[in-house]
Amino acid sequence: MRCAVRSIVLVHGAWHGSWCWARVVPLLEQSGFVVRAIDLPSTGIDPPSDVDLSADAAAVRGAIEDLPGDVLVCGHSYGGMVISHPAVGAHPRVVRLAYLCAFMPDRGQSLYSIGDGKPAPWIRVNERGMSLPDLEQAAELFFGDCDPQTQRWAVGRLRPQPTAPFTEPVADPAWRHTRSTYIVCTQDRVMPLEVQRGLFAPRTARVIELEASHSPFLSRPGPLAQGLTTVSAA
């Protein structure tokens, strides 16, 4: 029989960093979990243009190796691609996956192929292949239900990310083999609600809904932490 989840790994989305989980981590730790929020190599201060999805997945796998017991891995937005990678989701101690308004690739899909092969219209890509959301729209898109001070703080911490991770396909997504939950954010302006509810959520064993924007880790950390705690025992 598997042990109860002891550790939780939090995987941020595109252009973000481990900073975005700062309000959630202490709440999970108070519930007794060992928690690790990852900084993906593709979203560092000056990431190389060729760092890809596999490199991000390898970084998460390395963190899992250092944690005790069975592990729940939560991926936000692009982080859903990372946790679907076999290097993460097929790790023998990963017993739960949680997709937080996240992409869930099917076999052979990349993030871009899920989105009709091209970036969203609010994504800007420069000549070096580095992407960043339109910063004039970012507060409303990502942090629409946050207070103005939080919005300014979060937008100021967004970092460029190469497009290589968005074009790498996942051959055999881990959600097909590992018990998964989808966390729908009903006020999301980045991931359409019909995609969350209609396409991704039915692929999972359990669905949780939050009345939140694309960033509940900042606007609703308590309900999000409670949801992850519930998932860990499911």
Side-chain angles (χ1 to χ4, degrees), residues 118-153:
K118 56 186 178 182
W122 42 266
I123 296 176
R124 307 291 179 253
V125 180
N126 67 19
E127 65 282 355
R128 293 181 53 231
M130 303 299 288
S131 69
L132 194 68
D134 182 347
L135 296 182
E136 293 186 359
Q137 301 182 60
E140 189 66 25
L141 285 169
F142 292 100
F143 317 112
D145 59 345
C146 295
D147 62 86
Q149 181 178 356
T150 298
Q151 288 180 338
R152 289 190 294 272
W153 175 80

Side-chain angles (χ1 to χ4, degrees), residues 168-183:
E168 181 180 344
V170 176
D172 187 21
W175 58 264
R176 288 188 168 274
H177 311 287
T178 303
R179 189 171 179 83
S180 302
T181 295
Y182 201 90
I183 303 175

